[in-house]
Amino acid sequence: MVVMARRRARGARGEAEDAPREPSAEDATATAEAAGASILGPFPEGPRSLRLLALWGGYLAVVHTLARASVAELSIRAQPGWHTAPGVPLLARWDAGWYQALADQGYAFDRTRETTAGFFPLYSLLMKGAASLLSLGTYQGGVVVSSLCLLTAMYLVHVYARRAGAEPWTAVALLLSLPSGFILASVYSEGLFLTCALGSFVLARRDRWREAALLAALAALTRPHGLALIPTLLVDAWTRREGPRPTLRALAPAAVAALGFASLCAYFAAKFGDPWAYFHAKQAWGLLAHDAASVLFDDWRAMLSGRGSLSNTVGWVLAGAWVAGSVTLVRQRRLAEATWVIAYMVMTLGGGGHVVWGVSRYSLSMFPLLTLVPPRYAQWVILVGALVQCFLLVEYVAFLPPAP
C-alpha cells in the first residue's frame, strides 16, 4: 500500500508538471530577449524603449533649438558664405559643404587644390539617397541620415555598455554629452561611422561574422579610421579563439574591412589614375604633415600661452583621456578595445595639420571610453561636457574658426 501511495503521488506531480500554466513576467522577458538576441541583443522594451526614443528626440530638440538661439537670440551672426544661403540647415557647416558637393557632383581630384577626393563616399551616397527618397534638399537628407544614425548609435552603445558590465544609460548619456556631441546630429559622417564601427565590433563579439564583415566594410567606406577596425577585429578574434588559432570566419570581418578600403583605392585608380588620391587630396589641406610631432608641439605651446582656442584646450584634455583610457583597457585585459583606442589615436594624432582642434569630434567614436568613467564621477563629467558642448555648438553654427 505504501508503494501504491508513492506511485499515485509521483503521478499527481507529473500531471501537475505537464499541465499548462500562465507565462510569468520573467518568462516573457526571457522570450523577448531570446528573440532579439539573434543579432545584436534585445532592444529595450516597453518604458525602456520609450526612454531611448525620448532621449533621442529630446536631445535633437535641444540641439536644434540652441542652434537657432545661437544666431537669433545671442546676436551671433554667421560669417557670409555658402552656409548662409537659403535652405542650408544651421547644422550644416564646415565639411558639410564637401559632403554635399560629393553627393551632387561626384568625385573631383586635383593635387594642387582642395577637392572632394579628400572624403569617403558612403555618407554622401546616403545623403543623396535620403534626399531623393523623401524629396528633400541634399543637406536636409544629410540631417535625416545623421539623426537616424544617432538613434542607432545610442542603441548600440546601450548594448555594448551592458555587455561590458557598465551602466548602459550612463554610457548613452556620456556619448550625448561629449563636447562635440552635436556633430552626431549635424551633416557630418561621425554618426554613420560610429554606427558601422561599433555595430561591427558588437556583431563580431556575437559571432555574427557576415553582418560584422558587412558593417566593417561600410565603416571603411565612411571614414579612413575604418582601417583601425582591422587590427581591432584581428585582436578580438585572437583573444576569443577556442583553438590554437582563430577560424577563417572569425578573421573575415577584418579582411573585408581591408577590402572596403581597397575598393575605394581601386575606384580612384580607375577614375583618376591614382589609387592614393585620397591622401594626395588631403595634402592640399595640409592634413598629412610630415612632421606631426612639431605640429602637436606648436598646438601645445599655443594652449600654454593662452593663445589656444576652447576647441584646442578641450582637444588636449580628451587626448589625455585617450591615453589614460588605453592604459586602463590594457590593465583590464580588454585588448581588442585597447587596440581600437590606440590605433584610432595614432591615426588621428599622427596626421598633423593641427588635428588637436578635431580631437573633440574624433572622440565620438571612442566607444570603449564610455564604459570607463567611475559612477561617482559620471554625473559631473556629463554636466561639464554638456556645458562645453553648448559653447562649441555656438562656434560651429556661427562658422567661427577653428573647425570642430
Side-chain angles (χ1 to χ4, degrees), residues 107-109 114-120 224 268 277-279 281-282 285 287:
Y107 271 116
F109 173 57
E114 299 173 354
T115 58
T116 51
F119 293 85
F120 278 39
F268 283 149
Y278 167 78
F279 299 102
K282 281 301 183 183
W285 276 280
L287 295 180

Side-chain angles (χ1 to χ4, degrees), residues 327-347:
V327 173
T328 302
L329 290 168
V330 171
R331 289 179 174 176
Q332 294 179 355
R333 302 189 65 81
R334 296 166 61 181
L335 299 184
E337 288 114 310
T339 302
W340 171 256
V341 173
I342 294 171
Y344 196 97
M345 179 170 54
V346 170
M347 291 186 66

